[in-house]
Amino acid sequence: MPEFITNLTVKQIKDLVVSLNEPAYRAKQLLGWVYRKLAVSWDEMTDLPLSFRQKIADQANLHILTPIHEVKAKDGTVKILFGLPDGKTVETALMKFKAVDGKHRYTVCVSTQVGCPIGCPFCATGQQGFERNLTPGEIIDQVLYFARRLQDNSKGREGEKIDNIVFMGMGEPLANYDALWQAIEMLNSKDGFGLSARSMTISTSGLVPGIKRLGGEKLQVGLAISLHATDDKLRNQLVPVNKKYPLAELVPACREYFAQTGRRVSFEYALFDGVNDSFSQAQALADLLQGLNCHVNLISANSTANQTLQPSPGDRVLSFQQALQTRGITCTLRQSRGQDIDAGCGQLRSRFLTQKSR
Ligand code: SF4
């Protein structure tokens, strides 16, 4: 079966081109069509000889993802459920923000696995179980799909484009490290998509070996930790991988990551009513992160997959934020995007799977 072109590295594409008895510079042209001009078919690549296009079409497919279902929120967030070649599904969200200059910025929230092995009780993906890792191409194609849509939408106007990528969709990115990193390298490469590494963020539930490995990488990709609790007892429940990598290992790994890379670590803290949102828990969070160059994103949670975990009321969210700021912890309050469209991780896919089983 032909391979998908986005599953190949720059070197593999060069090798493929040479193996087809074509000059090596054709690889660069081909990459330009796939990653810069965002071609939807081989036929579009009109500056490539027809004979080459036919040969490459015999060896590789251009598209992996099939959009199955789309929802759009009032805040401009678009979420798509994609079908994969083996019939499985993943979801990807495009979020639209208005910047201070009045222009729009776009962030795509990318999935790295079908389902997730971590099983956080508030997360719909966590309740679906784990099915498989995504390939590099399946990760990359989520970005290319939205980049193409923005390009099509903005024809004739100033180009709208993907400004940031967050690996924060379905799955634990660091549990699929090799495919994730191959995708990041291609998305960053000047021969590929060409997005700066600093515009990409990996969000992890706290896989310590992956954080250590990331600290040794050359590309300056951002790191975000889904923390959500300040003691092991609660974190074992909210983020079950904590049983394997408790806070006493996770927080030092983050300190080491900063020492190695000089990059500030972000901590995600979703506030749940009466669970992790008290004044004393805010103090415990400040104690835990004391002296670490970091930023806390407080998340006013979406409606969750678990009845007992409900969003904190607004005044408590503000008090929590204030308590952290008083202790010198920089933090911002992030509203969940796309509240009206099942934008919480895995919610759209859950609804689709339920309908399918009926
Ligand atoms: S929150 Fe993230 S790590 Fe936890 S189950 Fe959901 S996708 Fe997995």
Side-chain angles (χ1 to χ4, degrees):
M1 197 179 140
E3 182 55 278
F4 290 98
I5 196 85
T6 46
N7 274 331
L8 303 180
T9 63
V10 172
K11 181 176 181 314
Q12 285 169 331
I13 290 177
K14 283 181 182 159
D15 292 347
L16 174 64
V17 165
V18 170
S19 77
L20 297 173
N21 295 320
E22 294 285 340
Y25 67 83
R26 292 257 180 261
K28 220 168 182 162
Q29 288 178 297
L30 185 58
L31 282 156
W33 275 108
V34 175
Y35 287 101
R36 298 298 180 111
K37 297 179 196 164
L38 305 168
V40 291
S41 74
W42 302 113
D43 295 340
E44 262 181 69
M45 305 181 185
T46 45
D47 61 353
L48 298 176
L50 184 60
S51 59
F52 174 57
R53 279 186 268 153
Q54 281 166 344
K55 278 194 270 182
I56 201 86
D58 287 343
Q59 299 292 321
N61 288 323
L62 195 50
H63 293 300
I64 302 186
L65 304 176
T66 311
I68 295 177
H69 189 62
E70 173 172 340
V71 281
K72 189 168 182 187
K74 288 192 197 105
D75 64 16
T77 301
V78 176
K79 193 164 198 183
I80 298 209
L81 186 73
F82 288 111
L84 303 171
D86 59 0
K88 297 189 183 301
T89 51
V90 285
E91 45 179 66
T92 313
L94 181 74
M95 294 168 289
K96 184 177 177 179
F97 300 93
K98 199 162 192 173
V100 276
D101 60 7
K103 290 184 185 158
H104 287 122
R105 299 278 186 277
Y106 290 91
T107 297
V108 60
C109 179
V110 171
S111 294
T112 52
Q113 296 183 312
V114 181
C116 182
I118 306 298
C120 305
F122 54 85
C123 166
T125 302
Q127 307 315 300
Q128 292 164 8
F130 172 66
E131 294 185 36
R132 72 167 171 86
N133 283 330
L134 295 187
T135 66
E138 287 167 339
I139 297 171
I140 289 170
D141 262 21
Q142 297 171 60
V143 177
L144 298 188
Y145 176 87
F146 280 110
R148 206 175 287 125
R149 265 176 71 140
L150 289 175
Q151 188 184 59
D152 291 347
N153 289 349
S154 62
K155 276 209 172 107
R157 291 187 281 122
E158 191 175 347
E160 293 187 318
K161 58 178 178 50
I162 303 285
D163 298 289
N164 294 289
I165 299 171
V166 290
F167 298 96
M168 215 176 259
M170 296 172 59
E172 165 50 63
L174 295 183
N176 186 14
Y177 198 106
D178 291 340
L180 169 75
W181 201 253
Q182 184 180 321
I184 286 175
E185 285 188 323
M186 185 57 103
L187 290 166
N188 170 253
S189 168
K190 62 178 176 18
D191 291 326
F193 191 64
L195 187 72
S196 86
R198 286 173 182 273
S199 301
M200 298 188 228
T201 301
I202 297 171
S203 172
T204 177
S205 58
L207 301 199
V208 169
I211 294 169
K212 290 187 171 166
R213 191 171 160 193
L214 201 59
E217 300 285 2
K218 284 200 184 76
L219 292 181
Q220 294 272 294
V221 177
L223 172 66
I225 310 287
S226 300
L227 194 63
H228 310 319
T230 54
D231 65 85
D232 283 329
K233 191 166 173 242
L234 181 58
R235 195 161 191 272
N236 286 348
Q237 292 168 30
L238 292 180
V239 190
V241 78
N242 191 73
K243 289 176 202 152
K244 196 164 180 193
Y245 304 112
L247 290 164
E249 284 183 42
L250 175 59
V251 178
C254 294
R255 292 183 192 276
E256 193 185 315
Y257 174 87
F258 175 75
Q260 265 180 298
T261 63
R263 297 224 66 195
R264 190 173 75 164
V265 180
S266 293
F267 289 91
E268 309 284 314
Y269 195 99
L271 288 153
F272 300 113
D273 189 9
V275 175
N276 63 353
D277 59 354
S278 69
F279 180 76
S280 63
Q281 281 159 321
Q283 296 302 327
L285 181 56
D287 290 342
L288 194 67
L289 303 181
Q290 205 60 53
L292 174 59
N293 193 333
C294 67
H295 183 91
V296 175
N297 283 315
L298 293 176
I299 303 157
S300 170
N302 258 321
S303 58
T304 75
N306 188 311
Q307 289 288 326
T308 59
L309 295 169
Q310 290 307 313
S312 297
D315 55 343
R316 208 163 322 132
V317 172
L318 288 177
S319 307
F320 198 94
Q321 182 184 24
Q322 218 166 32
L324 287 182
Q325 284 169 337
T326 307
R327 292 280 306 271
I329 305 282
T330 58
C331 62
T332 34
L333 187 55
R334 234 182 45 206
Q335 287 298 328
S336 287
R337 308 278 303 177
Q339 302 241 29
D340 50 327
I341 57 156
D342 295 335
C345 175
Q347 288 177 349
L348 180 60
R349 181 169 182 261
S350 279
R351 192 153 52 86
F352 175 78
L353 292 175
T354 309
Q355 281 167 0
K356 211 169 141 192
S357 69
R358 279 188 193 137

